[in-house]
Amino acid sequence: MSLLPLDGPPGTRPAPSRSPAAARLFSRALSLLPLLLIGAWAAFDWPTVYDGAARLATADPWWLLAAVFFTCLGWVAAACVRQGALPDRLPPGLLLASQFAAGAANHVLPASVGAHAVTLRFLLGRGIPLPRAAASLALYALVRPIAKTLVLLAFLAASPDLLPLDQLAPDKGTLLLAAGAATLGLAAPALLVVAVPQLRRPALTFVRTALTDARLLHTRPARVLALWGGAAAAPLLQAGVIASVGAALGLPLTWTQITLAFLAAGAVAGAVPAPGGIGPVDATLVFAMAALGAPLSLATATVIGYRVVTIWLPLIPGALVLSALVHRKVL
């Protein structure tokens, strides 16, 4: 009887082997993929980078430094919300690094798909079961808009006459688009589960895990503070970035006005899926600040500067961290 490795039971074929060289090549290609995507997007949107950098060159550097500080705190807030949405304890350093890397991925794909994908890979790499990891992503996605809406309502209650909401109200077409997107987002998963019987058991497991974890998390004060406190702080920190850039450029608006304009712009245009909210939110934010009395050119420059500080400045470092985490198999 031959002892060659190719021999085996009749009717069977040897399992294909993967060479170590091919595995290393695939790993390197995967780690370089984020950089290639970022480079392609930067080349496509280069005018935004150039215009923003030209205007920021004459801005107050200390206020720009404050904007960078608020941007860094935003990653800390995101990490707090991620930890608050999960009963298991995560390593703080790696969690923060994953959220920094997720920021780069978030600006490539719409509707936070990139950030959720990076976080899901991170959670699975930490040994979190898939149903629990998916449930934490769902809770994160649910809490963020609720907390942002509550912050907006609190600001409107404190200053009801500060923001002209009648001028910012979306038209009929935008409302229909938002209603259609919301209906599709709710109906599509349900129809998919009904049409594909193989998905029913995983869907029921997901719902059961999500409800169980949500109840468990809200019995732990530390998790509640991290979840809801981080979610409420995130839009305030983003507004702090805009206000700092506006102060650097001489924007004649108060921080309260800018915060209200940002929260209202996110509520009006946030239903339109775009990478990192770029596009519809920017246009609505410029219009909101102009409605509050800011010159249109200065409001536009402020939004461009905000995008440069929050997207383009950390984009390359975030892509490098993302590649490093992939290379080290953290993701």
Side-chain angles (χ1 to χ4, degrees):
M1 179 181 297
S2 174
L3 296 179
L4 291 176
L6 295 179
D7 291 345
T12 63
R13 301 177 63 181
S17 61
R18 188 175 182 181
S19 66
R24 287 194 299 268
L25 181 61
F26 178 78
S27 177
R28 291 177 181 174
L30 188 62
S31 64
L32 291 176
L33 181 61
L35 292 177
L36 295 177
L37 292 175
I38 295 302
W41 190 52
F44 178 77
D45 204 21
W46 177 251
T48 300
V49 183
Y50 181 81
D51 292 342
R55 292 182 179 275
L56 290 177
T58 60
D60 187 340
W62 293 107
W63 278 115
L64 293 180
L65 186 61
V68 173
F69 174 72
F70 283 121
T71 302
C72 294
L73 289 182
W75 298 319
V76 177
C80 288
V81 181
R82 295 290 188 187
Q83 178 62 88
L86 194 69
D88 308 80
R89 182 171 177 78
L90 299 171
L94 287 178
L95 176 60
L96 183 59
S98 71
Q99 295 312 292
F100 181 55
N106 191 45
H107 299 305
V108 177
L109 299 175
S112 301
V113 173
H116 289 326
V118 171
T119 303
L120 181 61
R121 293 280 300 179
F122 171 73
L123 296 179
L124 295 178
R126 298 299 95 196
I128 307 299
L130 180 58
R132 171 162 286 183
S136 73
L137 296 184
L139 183 59
Y140 176 93
L142 179 65
V143 167
R144 286 288 293 265
I146 293 177
K148 189 174 184 178
T149 302
L150 293 177
V151 172
L152 173 60
L153 293 177
F155 268 84
L156 290 176
S159 306
D161 301 326
L162 191 58
L163 191 64
L165 292 178
D166 55 336
Q167 301 182 30
L168 299 177
D171 54 19
K172 184 178 180 180
T174 303
L175 289 176
L176 290 177
L177 177 62
T183 302
L184 181 62
L186 293 175
L191 292 176
L192 186 61
V193 170
V194 172
V196 183
Q198 293 82 357
L199 295 179
R200 293 174 187 172
R201 178 173 293 181
L204 291 175
T205 302
F206 165 76
V207 172
R208 191 181 303 112
T209 303
L211 294 176
T212 301
D213 286 355
R215 287 195 299 266
L216 175 62
L217 289 168
H218 285 83
T219 62
R220 301 180 180 180
R223 290 293 191 270
V224 173
L225 179 61
L227 180 65
W228 290 98
L236 297 178
L237 292 171
Q238 289 180 289
V241 177
I242 301 173
S244 298
V245 174
L249 296 172
L251 186 71
L253 295 178
T254 65
W255 282 51
T256 303
Q257 289 175 314
I258 293 174
T259 301
L260 273 173
F262 171 74
L263 294 172
V268 171
V272 181
I278 299 172
V281 175
D282 291 349
T284 308
L285 180 57
V286 169
F287 182 74
M289 291 193 292
L292 290 171
L296 185 60
S297 60
L298 197 54
T300 303
T302 299
V303 173
I304 291 175
Y306 161 68
R307 288 303 183 184
V308 169
V309 172
T310 57
I311 295 178
W312 293 109
L313 187 61
L315 201 54
I316 297 301
L320 291 174
V321 172
L322 179 58
S323 298
L325 293 178
V326 171
H327 183 68
R328 296 183 179 183
K329 301 185 182 337
V330 176
L331 299 179

